[in-house]
Amino acid sequence: MREIKFRVWNILTKKMQNWGDIFDLPAWEIFPGTPEQRPYELMQFTGLKDKSGVEIYEGDVCIVDEGLSDYWYVVEWVYGGFQAVTYKKKSSNVRGIADGMNSFYIEPNEASVMTVIGNIYENSELLEIKND
């Protein structure tokens, strides 16, 4: 069974926090009435680690060491599982979801050839792929 844990991006302070940092807040502060009012973005741990032992969370940006270095992969919860969704690198002429590339569910064998290079919140050079 995988470990269930979260990390939190504080939208107001623009800092990554541990779940324990906000755990004691009232639920209405963490999950207000509408998504636009939400001061936090929660990211769930996938239960997997990359080839260097770094925990992989939703919102992480990864590279894969199997000849696919022209692409970044953003970890997302899609159709009941964590998937690596392909994006072209920012340095490419075309950004956004990569044409002709499929997402893949992240299994332990895929995680062992992945490297977390950042996340969509803290790395300004990677933020553009979320906003395209």
Side-chain angles (χ1 to χ4, degrees):
M1 178 179 261
R2 77 176 173 89
E3 182 178 9
I4 305 293
K5 62 182 181 177
F6 297 86
R7 68 179 182 195
V8 181
W9 175 249
N10 186 320
I11 294 169
L12 302 175
T13 65
K14 302 207 179 311
K15 293 188 179 187
M16 196 65 70
Q17 296 179 271
N18 293 316
W19 175 248
D21 296 337
I22 67 166
F23 185 77
D24 292 328
L25 293 175
W28 60 268
E29 284 188 35
I30 300 170
F31 305 106
T34 65
E36 295 80 24
Q37 297 171 323
R38 186 180 317 149
Y40 303 103
E41 289 288 340
L42 301 177
M43 292 159 275
Q44 187 172 5
F45 176 46
T46 64
L48 300 170
K49 296 181 180 181
D50 74 1
K51 71 179 191 176
S52 301
V54 175
E55 294 178 339
I56 302 173
Y57 282 82
E58 285 179 278
D60 278 344
V61 179
C62 303
I63 56 174
V64 177
D65 299 337
E66 294 187 342
L68 301 173
S69 60
D70 290 340
Y71 298 95
W72 282 325
Y73 296 82
V74 177
V75 178
E76 297 179 3
W77 179 261
V78 181
Y79 301 118
F82 291 105
Q83 290 191 17
V85 179
T86 55
Y87 287 81
K88 289 245 184 181
K89 283 187 173 182
K90 181 182 172 189
S91 60
S92 301
N93 290 332
V94 180
R95 289 195 310 260
I97 295 178
D99 294 331
M101 297 290 292
N102 291 324
S103 303
F104 60 89
Y105 283 99
I106 304 171
E107 301 291 338
N109 59 323
E110 282 95 8
S112 67
V113 295
M114 295 175 76
T115 302
V116 175
I117 59 171
N119 64 66
I120 59 175
Y121 301 104
E122 291 180 305
N123 306 93
S124 61
E125 72 276 10
L126 303 176
L127 276 172
E128 291 182 14
I129 63 173
K130 181 171 174 73
N131 296 326
D132 283 347

